[in-house]
């Protein structure tokens, strides 16, 4: 399952159920939902994927953790991205306040995601 997640899948993330069905079809392994989630938790501990069995987090699994880390790293460290976003949000007072909150407190409002991910 580890090799399948790392090399055979092109998706960076997917729902837990979609992954369970793909694993079942490709590897002929049929896990119960509980067993599959336990396996994902173990793969998370090993760094193979990102999965957290907590409410609001347990429906998706990140299959390409390095890609996720690169995106987060860019959000934090890319000065050009920060400069562009500040320029963009000078036109919209609400977005400017949300962007400033992100840069000061690290809290990213959902409404900014399209602007940010669109430039990545």
């Amino acid at each position: 399952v580890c090799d399948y997640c790392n090399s055979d899948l092109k998706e960076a993330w997917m729902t837990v159920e979609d992954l369970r069905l793909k694993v079942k079809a490709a590897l002929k392994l049929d896990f119960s939902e509980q067993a599959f989630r336990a396996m994902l938790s173990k793969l998370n501990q090993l760094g193979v994927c990102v999965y957290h069995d907590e409410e609001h987090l347990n429906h998706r699994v990140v299959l390409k953790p390095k890609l996720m880390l690169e995106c987060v790293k860019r959000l934090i460290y890319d000065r050009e991205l920060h400069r562009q976003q500040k320029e963009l949000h000078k036109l919209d007072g609400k977005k400017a306040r949300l962007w400033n909150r992100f840069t000061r407190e690290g809290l990213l409002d959902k409404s900014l995601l399209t602007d940010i991910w669109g430039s990545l």
Side-chain angles (χ1 to χ4, degrees):
V1 173
C2 181
D3 290 339
Y4 177 71
C5 288
N6 278 331
S7 60
D8 293 350
L9 292 173
K10 304 288 186 249
E11 296 90 341
W13 64 271
M14 64 177 54
T15 66
V16 170
E17 185 58 21
D18 286 347
L19 180 59
R20 190 173 75 80
L21 293 173
K22 283 190 176 228
V23 166
K24 180 180 179 179
L27 304 177
K28 309 296 188 240
L29 297 171
D30 192 13
F31 293 95
S32 69
E33 183 177 345
Q34 183 179 2
F36 194 71
R37 288 179 183 278
M39 181 191 63
L40 287 176
S41 291
K42 187 61 172 175
L43 291 175
N44 179 70
Q45 291 173 351
L46 297 171
V48 173
C49 67
V50 177
Y51 171 76
H52 297 284
D53 198 10
E54 299 172 23
E55 188 176 354
H56 302 297
L57 296 175
N58 65 357
H59 62 288
R60 297 197 194 280
V61 58
V62 176
L63 301 168
K64 309 276 189 232
K66 287 181 183 179
L67 176 64
M68 185 182 82
L69 289 174
E70 286 299 315
C71 291
V72 171
K73 183 176 99 177
R74 181 156 183 219
L75 279 174
I76 295 169
Y77 292 113
D78 189 330
R79 292 181 193 273
E80 181 62 22
L81 174 66
H82 288 263
R83 189 192 62 71
Q84 289 172 358
Q85 295 302 319
K86 285 181 181 179
E87 293 298 318
L88 265 174
H89 299 310
K90 282 181 181 177
L91 304 174
D92 181 344
K94 181 181 178 186
K95 284 190 178 183
R97 285 190 303 277
L98 293 173
W99 184 256
N100 286 332
R101 188 178 94 179
F102 169 63
T103 57
R104 282 190 327 270
E105 302 171 32
L107 299 171
L108 180 62
D109 190 88
K110 202 176 200 178
S111 66
L112 295 177
L113 288 177
T114 303
D115 293 335
I116 292 169
W117 295 131
S119 66
L120 290 178

